[in-house]
Amino acid sequence: MTDSIDRRRFLKVLGVTGAGAAAVSSCGIGPEPTERLIPYLIQPEDQIPGTATYYATTCRECAAGCGVRVRVREGRAVKLEGNPDSPINRGRLCARGHAALQGLYNPDRIDHPLVRNAGGAFEAIDWDGALIRLTAKVREAQGKGIVFLTGAEQSTFGDLVDEWMKQVGGRRMSYEAFGFEALRAGNRIAFGTATLPTYDFANAKYVLSFGADFLDTWLSPVEFQNGFSRAHAFDAGRPASMAKYVYVGPRLSLTGMNADEWVAAKPGTEGLLALAMAQVIMSQHLARVPADASRLVSVLAAHTPRAVAQVVGIDEATITRLAQEFARSGGGLAIAGGMAMQDANAAEIVAAVNLLNYVVGAVGSLVKFGPDLAIGSTNTFAELGTLTKEMTDGHIALLFVHGTNPAHSLPGAFQQALGKVGFKVSFSSYMDETTAACDLILPDHHPLEQWGDSRPRAGVVGFQQPVVQPVFGTQATGDVILKLSGKTGTFFEYLQAKWRTRHAATFEQYWMDALTKGGIYGDAPTRAVRLADVSKVSFAAPAVSANQDQAVIVFPHPALHDGRGANKPWLQELPDPVSKIAWHSWVEVHPDTAEKWGLATGDFLLLKSPFGAQKFPAWITRSVRPDVLAVPTGQGHSAYGRYAKDRSANAFELLGVQATVYGGRSFIVRATATMTGEHQRRVATIEGNTRDLGLGTTEVLPLARAKALHPGDHPFHFEETPEYAKEAVEWWADRQHEKAELGNYKGEQPRWGLAIDLSKCTGCSACVTACYAENNIATVGEELTERRREMAWLRLERYWRVDEHDKVQGAVNQPMLCQQCGNAPCEPVCPVYAAYHTPDGLNGQVYNRCVGTRYCSNNCPYKVRYFNWYNYAERDGKYEAFPEPLSMLLNPDVTVREKGVMEKCTFCVQRIRGAQNQARLENRNVRDGDIVTACQQTCPSEAIVFGDLNDRRSRVYELAGNPRGYHVLAGLNTKPAITYLARVVAQDTPGHG
């Protein structure tokens, strides 16, 4: 008698009878809870089940004002993409923009009004009761000091607040932790205007950054990165040329590590270097100098290369060479005013760099006043200090806070001053530090839930519209203010009324067109500026302290920024582009300093400044000067939800509250460094783990060599098969193809592939977050990240590039993901055929077939397969990645994987199949460009191209044949579908990694 059972009988016994159900239950697989499907009674006009709807709106995660398009499925926002119509980001988006979804569906959002009771605790209150109470408080506070504090808010909402404050006798102030006061003051010193201009990176032929991190945290990073990649990429439309990029600063940021050359000047001396370069240019007549620049001769005469070389720490010959390169390029652009470089003399440094731009004619062509940036209109740090003193002195009876969290960035002074204010009201949707100190909380809608607009720069207005129904019981702050001011109607009606006055005749059509496009995008005319009198300005570097204190630079975190991103797990788990550390802060220490102190990576240092003390685990790196320590902002919250609270250290604690002479805050401070004896066994970093491929996987070419390449050249060609075996291997391959001509595998098929240009890739990691959002990738938290169990399908490997003296000059960033090998080592070792080869060349993965042997991962030389050690989707599980309502952002086109399943990059197969189905419906072939992967779509530098390698007219086919192209680990004969284009460095000796 046989024990075998066929499929029909199995289903009959187990799937139909009650005994089968009992048998399944006895195995511990109980019935799922009953869920009722409720159909639409009245289906929304713009919602078709299974079909995405897109809405244009404006990102409010920072002041740049990028346009976005939101993909909505069945009433849920599931993905943000850049708006191609926006002149700011041109269809691209950064990691912070993608993470706005996690702000919308954040499980720690405040879902109703709260009021502080007599015992000091918060209790719920209804909206009507809250407004009645607040109306009385406003009436009591009139004439006693009312202030409405916002973030950067150049908008119709800001206008409404101004109107209301005028009505009740108060005033509005705006505060940003990074307000670029030095940049404003430096422009005023040089040109008599404190506005912030726009910068045309795309047309620059030589970029020189004096500590301005324009690729990550300076003004408008996505816009500037897109322009920079057009100028700095080797084949970006210019015949065999590229703009050289030099970074001047004491540490390498994301912006710095993309430089062709790093000039590690002493902190505070950058202005002297700029003046010395200007002196060389004028004295050697290297550029057509404006007529009124002759007034600078006396100022520049005191700043020759010989005079400043020792102070700056750079030899005279290097200064002269930089000046000659900059001037002779015919399109030099110099920038300054980065927040990490904002010290006592930062305004003078900006002024000096402005003078350098002026003598080469960049002002008016590449530096454009007129299309001024709105963030330049926020109040200065000094003005916030005045408000803090008024609060401390009891002169403020009523304080409103909206869109800013000064209690975190000013943890001592402002937090204490809040206690002296009569009544505090927060409109925050999150329990941050400032909100926790308030008396009444009226949670605002998320920007994706409400109407509004934004004026990020002159000539550009971005519109906001609600893309989903409110997730919680919040209300738009605009509606609340209208009720408090006694006006009828909603903020939406107020917004329309403001715009109707400008276009009354054809308003309805005008309004719909603007909403569809995402805003009103125009160009503001360039405004000419005159050179101011700088003869009495002192450009001297600050005196160096004689004690043993260290210079500590507090720099903005590229993802968490001033801390506002810390409550979003996508950003917490996104490795810092430079250190590759996630989930906590660190202090950067040079190896020479570490050796002197007996310090190892992971040892804790207690940094103690005159203003506060914090401890950080050390990260030993050559990307910082030996006499400098550097720490990021972003962490160290005492509130702000489960992902941010009590995590690591707050670097703002080290900074003083006294404003500089130009009204800004100094982000360079002197501090003592003491080893605590504690050690973090494993820093939560992806650097140096077993997934890193190491030396030999990236290729770098000097510019001269790249120029000499011709079509058909193969500088990185690796002969995979010995000459004597070629004929046999080819015969065997032909026989295998004949055997494989079965079913769906028969006939012509596409071969999907990617081309990634390392000369364009900056390592910004926007692609990583876009992949998380598109493919429902789980965040695993700090503990599992330390154990190397992160789930990111795409990682950015950073390899330092050093010169002939073994000094770091920058880095090469290499996105590493599944290579979709044509001869994949993962496929033949899977015992259950979960890993298989699709007809169109993908390394497929059948999730419900996978039993988790992990043989495929062991056999993958690229280490791009990721195992689900836990059920990250389990409700209330220890490592739950999608607590309600965060699960609402999950993409319904992609499976949420279970415990014990291996997963990896699929080239966004759901997008591939969607485009193929659409083409089939339209009775045509898939066209090149129809399919855009999530990483390609978001990349601000346009470094990624996807397409069919079998289509000779496709862009990816063309790039795959580029002489700079190579395959990673080509000698293994895996036949990857991803072609990397070697990084080109604009200097004669590119160094090595």
Side-chain angles (χ1 to χ4, degrees), residues 430-448:
Y430 315 98
M431 188 64 75
D432 57 30
E433 289 82 353
T434 305
T435 301
C438 288
D439 303 301
L440 179 65
I441 304 173
L442 303 176
D444 190 14
H445 285 336
H446 189 272
L448 295 176

Side-chain angles (χ1 to χ4, degrees), residues 878-890:
K878 181 179 180 181
Y879 300 108
E880 183 183 14
F882 310 107
E884 296 297 330
L886 204 57
S887 59
M888 294 179 73
L889 58 73
L890 292 173

Side-chain angles (χ1 to χ4, degrees), residues 823-844:
N823 189 19
C826 57
E827 293 169 2
V829 297
C830 180
V832 293
Y833 304 104
Y836 76 105
H837 210 75
T838 69
D840 47 0
L842 300 180
N843 303 141

Side-chain angles (χ1 to χ4, degrees), residues 430-660:
Y430 315 98
M431 188 64 75
D432 57 30
E433 289 82 353
T434 305
T435 301
C438 288
D439 303 301
L440 179 65
I441 304 173
L442 303 176
D444 190 14
H445 285 336
H446 189 272
L448 295 176
E449 299 173 320
Q450 62 179 303
W451 291 98
D453 61 13
S454 174
R455 303 187 290 267
R457 76 175 185 218
V460 175
V461 178
F463 280 124
Q464 282 176 244
Q465 60 176 318
V467 302
V468 293
Q469 292 292 325
V471 180
F472 297 100
T474 56
Q475 282 194 19
T477 302
D479 291 345
V480 172
I481 293 175
L482 287 170
K483 292 175 183 176
L484 292 172
S485 61
K487 297 179 180 178
T488 59
T490 64
F491 181 71
F492 170 61
E493 295 167 339
Y494 177 88
L495 177 69
Q496 276 200 322
K498 287 288 185 180
W499 283 98
R500 194 182 297 273
T501 58
R502 305 172 199 178
H503 300 274
T506 58
F507 176 73
E508 296 301 331
Q509 186 61 45
Y510 172 84
W511 179 258
M512 289 305 299
D513 290 345
L515 283 182
T516 302
K517 196 173 182 180
I520 301 168
Y521 304 131
D523 293 318
T526 302
R527 184 179 73 253
V529 293
R530 292 179 174 273
L531 187 63
D533 182 11
V534 295
S535 59
K536 298 180 181 179
V537 178
S538 173
F539 293 99
V544 179
S545 175
N547 58 32
Q548 297 301 309
D549 292 353
Q550 287 284 128
V552 177
I553 296 174
V554 177
F555 62 91
H557 193 288
L560 307 183
H561 200 59
D562 58 359
R564 69 187 68 181
N567 68 336
K568 301 175 179 69
W570 282 345
L571 299 183
Q572 284 280 14
E573 196 145 304
L574 183 67
D576 172 73
V578 181
S579 68
K580 297 302 175 184
I581 293 174
W583 287 105
H584 60 79
S585 299
W586 66 92
V587 54
E588 296 174 4
V589 185
H590 191 275
D592 293 349
T593 307
E595 183 180 9
K596 183 171 63 176
W597 293 350
L599 193 68
T601 291
D603 290 344
F604 274 86
L605 277 181
L606 176 66
L607 302 183
K608 189 173 183 179
S609 77
F611 315 105
Q614 291 283 284
K615 64 179 183 180
F616 304 85
W619 177 57
I620 312 303
T621 174
R622 291 188 290 170
S623 61
V624 66
R625 281 177 58 95
D627 55 351
V628 167
L629 304 177
V631 294
T633 61
Q635 302 282 17
H637 285 273
S638 59
Y640 207 32
R642 71 191 72 182
Y643 300 110
K645 186 178 179 182
D646 299 329
R647 188 174 299 284
S648 200
N650 183 2
F652 284 114
E653 295 269 9
L654 302 175
L655 302 180
V657 296
Q658 189 67 35
T660 59

Side-chain angles (χ1 to χ4, degrees), residues 692-700 715-718 758 797-801 812 814 816 819 861-862 966-972 980 982 991-993:
D692 266 357
L693 300 185
L695 190 66
T697 64
T698 60
E699 300 290 352
V700 181
F716 310 116
H717 180 66
F718 188 93
L758 301 187
E797 296 183 350
R798 184 261 301 126
Y799 300 106
W800 295 117
R801 185 174 51 79
V812 180
Q814 180 171 266
M816 183 52 59
Q819 303 291 294
Y862 304 99
Y966 70 95
H967 293 143
V968 173
L969 303 180
L972 297 179
Y980 292 90
H992 55 279

